Amino acid sequence: MGPVYALEIAQMLKAKDIMKTNVLAVTMDTDIYRAIRTMVENNVTGLPVIDDDRALVGIVTEKDVLKLLYEIEDHPGRVADFMTTPVVAYDQDDDVAAVADGLSAHHFRRVPILSDGRLVGIISRKDIVRRIKEQWLTQSASA
């Protein structure tokens, strides 16, 4: 599978075709230590931050919580105190090539996927690589 073929696969697929829909998320009021525990227990490197309507308002990542190294307080605060805004996100109808370009350009591990501004999924670099491999294996087997 050459680079052009992988690009063709990524252009054919939409974000909704490969996104994970069982997305762990937190709110701005979530205690930062609870968010860290959620990341560690679920082996994820970041969590979308949503409001009551599931609108994306930020993202909190391992990199964001490294700020805790410099906190003197025992209980430093809420997710809102550490999250990154604005968030780079993609629509569920965007093609996977656009998502992959964004992941690469911004050095992200994952990006939230939206529908009408509401969180509906998440895509990681690994998800894209896995899907291109699966698609290539399917194409190769039928050739």
Side-chain angles (χ1 to χ4, degrees), residues 27-42:
T27 66
M28 290 178 25
D29 291 327
T30 302
D31 178 81
I32 192 63
Y33 286 119
R34 177 180 282 275
I36 292 168
R37 185 170 51 246
T38 300
M39 283 191 271
V40 170
E41 289 174 355
N42 292 280

PDB file of all heavy atoms in Angstrom, residues 27-42:
ATOM      1  N   THR A  27     -16.938  17.787  32.715  1.00  0.00           N
ATOM      2  CA  THR A  27     -17.464  19.147  32.643  1.00  0.00           C
ATOM      3  C   THR A  27     -16.424  20.107  33.217  1.00  0.00           C
ATOM      4  O   THR A  27     -15.445  19.679  33.839  1.00  0.00           O
ATOM      5  CB  THR A  27     -18.766  19.291  33.445  1.00  0.00           C
ATOM      6  OG1 THR A  27     -18.473  19.115  34.835  1.00  0.00           O
ATOM      7  CG2 THR A  27     -19.809  18.271  32.976  1.00  0.00           C
ATOM      8  N   MET A  28     -16.672  21.382  33.033  1.00  0.00           N
ATOM      9  CA  MET A  28     -15.742  22.393  33.551  1.00  0.00           C
ATOM     10  C   MET A  28     -15.653  22.333  35.070  1.00  0.00           C
ATOM     11  O   MET A  28     -14.620  22.673  35.646  1.00  0.00           O
ATOM     12  CB  MET A  28     -16.172  23.789  33.100  1.00  0.00           C
ATOM     13  CG  MET A  28     -15.965  23.995  31.627  1.00  0.00           C
ATOM     14  SD  MET A  28     -16.480  25.606  30.945  1.00  0.00           S
ATOM     15  CE  MET A  28     -16.410  26.728  32.273  1.00  0.00           C
ATOM     16  N   ASP A  29     -16.715  21.879  35.729  1.00  0.00           N
ATOM     17  CA  ASP A  29     -16.747  21.833  37.192  1.00  0.00           C
ATOM     18  C   ASP A  29     -16.177  20.549  37.782  1.00  0.00           C
ATOM     19  O   ASP A  29     -16.058  20.435  39.006  1.00  0.00           O
ATOM     20  CB  ASP A  29     -18.176  22.022  37.697  1.00  0.00           C
ATOM     21  CG  ASP A  29     -18.672  23.431  37.458  1.00  0.00           C
ATOM     22  OD1 ASP A  29     -17.845  24.367  37.505  1.00  0.00           O
ATOM     23  OD2 ASP A  29     -19.878  23.603  37.210  1.00  0.00           O
ATOM     24  N   THR A  30     -15.811  19.598  36.939  1.00  0.00           N
ATOM     25  CA  THR A  30     -15.233  18.346  37.434  1.00  0.00           C
ATOM     26  C   THR A  30     -13.928  18.639  38.168  1.00  0.00           C
ATOM     27  O   THR A  30     -13.092  19.422  37.696  1.00  0.00           O
ATOM     28  CB  THR A  30     -14.958  17.369  36.268  1.00  0.00           C
ATOM     29  OG1 THR A  30     -16.179  17.113  35.573  1.00  0.00           O
ATOM     30  CG2 THR A  30     -14.370  16.058  36.759  1.00  0.00           C
ATOM     31  N   ASP A  31     -13.747  18.020  39.317  1.00  0.00           N
ATOM     32  CA  ASP A  31     -12.504  18.146  40.068  1.00  0.00           C
ATOM     33  C   ASP A  31     -11.350  17.631  39.203  1.00  0.00           C
ATOM     34  O   ASP A  31     -11.459  16.585  38.566  1.00  0.00           O
ATOM     35  CB  ASP A  31     -12.603  17.329  41.364  1.00  0.00           C
ATOM     36  CG  ASP A  31     -11.324  17.393  42.162  1.00  0.00           C
ATOM     37  OD1 ASP A  31     -11.127  18.392  42.879  1.00  0.00           O
ATOM     38  OD2 ASP A  31     -10.519  16.444  42.051  1.00  0.00           O
ATOM     39  N   ILE A  32     -10.249  18.350  39.159  1.00  0.00           N
ATOM     40  CA  ILE A  32      -9.131  17.976  38.288  1.00  0.00           C
ATOM     41  C   ILE A  32      -8.568  16.602  38.640  1.00  0.00           C
ATOM     42  O   ILE A  32      -8.182  15.831  37.760  1.00  0.00           O
ATOM     43  CB  ILE A  32      -8.028  19.063  38.265  1.00  0.00           C
ATOM     44  CG1 ILE A  32      -7.022  18.798  37.133  1.00  0.00           C
ATOM     45  CG2 ILE A  32      -7.333  19.176  39.611  1.00  0.00           C
ATOM     46  CD1 ILE A  32      -7.593  18.842  35.746  1.00  0.00           C
ATOM     47  N   TYR A  33      -8.555  16.253  39.922  1.00  0.00           N
ATOM     48  CA  TYR A  33      -8.050  14.937  40.299  1.00  0.00           C
ATOM     49  C   TYR A  33      -8.983  13.822  39.836  1.00  0.00           C
ATOM     50  O   TYR A  33      -8.537  12.732  39.483  1.00  0.00           O
ATOM     51  CB  TYR A  33      -7.800  14.856  41.809  1.00  0.00           C
ATOM     52  CG  TYR A  33      -6.569  15.628  42.231  1.00  0.00           C
ATOM     53  CD1 TYR A  33      -6.670  16.683  43.125  1.00  0.00           C
ATOM     54  CD2 TYR A  33      -5.311  15.305  41.731  1.00  0.00           C
ATOM     55  CE1 TYR A  33      -5.545  17.400  43.504  1.00  0.00           C
ATOM     56  CE2 TYR A  33      -4.191  16.016  42.100  1.00  0.00           C
ATOM     57  CZ  TYR A  33      -4.317  17.064  43.000  1.00  0.00           C
ATOM     58  OH  TYR A  33      -3.200  17.764  43.366  1.00  0.00           O
ATOM     59  N   ARG A  34     -10.293  14.085  39.797  1.00  0.00           N
ATOM     60  CA  ARG A  34     -11.244  13.105  39.254  1.00  0.00           C
ATOM     61  C   ARG A  34     -10.985  12.914  37.757  1.00  0.00           C
ATOM     62  O   ARG A  34     -11.012  11.803  37.247  1.00  0.00           O
ATOM     63  CB  ARG A  34     -12.674  13.540  39.502  1.00  0.00           C
ATOM     64  CG  ARG A  34     -13.706  12.589  38.901  1.00  0.00           C
ATOM     65  CD  ARG A  34     -15.119  13.045  39.171  1.00  0.00           C
ATOM     66  NE  ARG A  34     -15.527  12.740  40.523  1.00  0.00           N
ATOM     67  CZ  ARG A  34     -16.024  11.571  40.904  1.00  0.00           C
ATOM     68  NH1 ARG A  34     -16.151  10.606  40.041  1.00  0.00           N
ATOM     69  NH2 ARG A  34     -16.385  11.366  42.141  1.00  0.00           N
ATOM     70  N   ALA A  35     -10.720  14.000  37.055  1.00  0.00           N
ATOM     71  CA  ALA A  35     -10.424  13.916  35.626  1.00  0.00           C
ATOM     72  C   ALA A  35      -9.146  13.110  35.387  1.00  0.00           C
ATOM     73  O   ALA A  35      -9.090  12.262  34.486  1.00  0.00           O
ATOM     74  CB  ALA A  35     -10.294  15.314  35.026  1.00  0.00           C
ATOM     75  N   ILE A  36      -8.125  13.354  36.203  1.00  0.00           N
ATOM     76  CA  ILE A  36      -6.872  12.602  36.078  1.00  0.00           C
ATOM     77  C   ILE A  36      -7.128  11.116  36.328  1.00  0.00           C
ATOM     78  O   ILE A  36      -6.650  10.256  35.581  1.00  0.00           O
ATOM     79  CB  ILE A  36      -5.807  13.139  37.053  1.00  0.00           C
ATOM     80  CG1 ILE A  36      -5.376  14.545  36.631  1.00  0.00           C
ATOM     81  CG2 ILE A  36      -4.610  12.198  37.136  1.00  0.00           C
ATOM     82  CD1 ILE A  36      -4.558  15.281  37.668  1.00  0.00           C
ATOM     83  N   ARG A  37      -7.892  10.815  37.363  1.00  0.00           N
ATOM     84  CA  ARG A  37      -8.207   9.416  37.667  1.00  0.00           C
ATOM     85  C   ARG A  37      -8.939   8.763  36.487  1.00  0.00           C
ATOM     86  O   ARG A  37      -8.634   7.644  36.106  1.00  0.00           O
ATOM     87  CB  ARG A  37      -9.048   9.330  38.944  1.00  0.00           C
ATOM     88  CG  ARG A  37      -9.306   7.899  39.381  1.00  0.00           C
ATOM     89  CD  ARG A  37      -9.938   7.769  40.765  1.00  0.00           C
ATOM     90  NE  ARG A  37     -11.125   8.589  40.940  1.00  0.00           N
ATOM     91  CZ  ARG A  37     -11.221   9.614  41.780  1.00  0.00           C
ATOM     92  NH1 ARG A  37     -10.197   9.983  42.513  1.00  0.00           N
ATOM     93  NH2 ARG A  37     -12.354  10.292  41.884  1.00  0.00           N
ATOM     94  N   THR A  38      -9.873   9.484  35.880  1.00  0.00           N
ATOM     95  CA  THR A  38     -10.602   8.964  34.718  1.00  0.00           C
ATOM     96  C   THR A  38      -9.648   8.673  33.566  1.00  0.00           C
ATOM     97  O   THR A  38      -9.740   7.625  32.918  1.00  0.00           O
ATOM     98  CB  THR A  38     -11.694   9.956  34.271  1.00  0.00           C
ATOM     99  OG1 THR A  38     -12.611  10.152  35.352  1.00  0.00           O
ATOM    100  CG2 THR A  38     -12.445   9.444  33.059  1.00  0.00           C
ATOM    101  N   MET A  39      -8.698   9.577  33.314  1.00  0.00           N
ATOM    102  CA  MET A  39      -7.729   9.352  32.240  1.00  0.00           C
ATOM    103  C   MET A  39      -6.879   8.113  32.525  1.00  0.00           C
ATOM    104  O   MET A  39      -6.697   7.260  31.651  1.00  0.00           O
ATOM    105  CB  MET A  39      -6.826  10.574  32.060  1.00  0.00           C
ATOM    106  CG  MET A  39      -7.473  11.712  31.322  1.00  0.00           C
ATOM    107  SD  MET A  39      -6.300  13.004  30.836  1.00  0.00           S
ATOM    108  CE  MET A  39      -6.344  14.054  32.274  1.00  0.00           C
ATOM    109  N   VAL A  40      -6.361   8.017  33.736  1.00  0.00           N
ATOM    110  CA  VAL A  40      -5.472   6.909  34.091  1.00  0.00           C
ATOM    111  C   VAL A  40      -6.224   5.576  34.063  1.00  0.00           C
ATOM    112  O   VAL A  40      -5.755   4.598  33.475  1.00  0.00           O
ATOM    113  CB  VAL A  40      -4.822   7.147  35.477  1.00  0.00           C
ATOM    114  CG1 VAL A  40      -4.087   5.907  35.961  1.00  0.00           C
ATOM    115  CG2 VAL A  40      -3.879   8.338  35.421  1.00  0.00           C
ATOM    116  N   GLU A  41      -7.397   5.526  34.671  1.00  0.00           N
ATOM    117  CA  GLU A  41      -8.151   4.272  34.754  1.00  0.00           C
ATOM    118  C   GLU A  41      -8.641   3.784  33.394  1.00  0.00           C
ATOM    119  O   GLU A  41      -8.857   2.597  33.203  1.00  0.00           O
ATOM    120  CB  GLU A  41      -9.344   4.433  35.699  1.00  0.00           C
ATOM    121  CG  GLU A  41      -8.929   4.537  37.151  1.00  0.00           C
ATOM    122  CD  GLU A  41     -10.089   4.838  38.094  1.00  0.00           C
ATOM    123  OE1 GLU A  41     -11.233   5.069  37.619  1.00  0.00           O
ATOM    124  OE2 GLU A  41      -9.846   4.852  39.319  1.00  0.00           O
ATOM    125  N   ASN A  42      -8.800   4.706  32.443  1.00  0.00           N
ATOM    126  CA  ASN A  42      -9.299   4.335  31.122  1.00  0.00           C
ATOM    127  C   ASN A  42      -8.222   4.380  30.045  1.00  0.00           C
ATOM    128  O   ASN A  42      -8.524   4.226  28.863  1.00  0.00           O
ATOM    129  CB  ASN A  42     -10.476   5.232  30.746  1.00  0.00           C
ATOM    130  CG  ASN A  42     -11.668   4.957  31.621  1.00  0.00           C
ATOM    131  OD1 ASN A  42     -12.397   3.998  31.398  1.00  0.00           O
ATOM    132  ND2 ASN A  42     -11.857   5.768  32.655  1.00  0.00           N
TER     133      ASN A  42
END
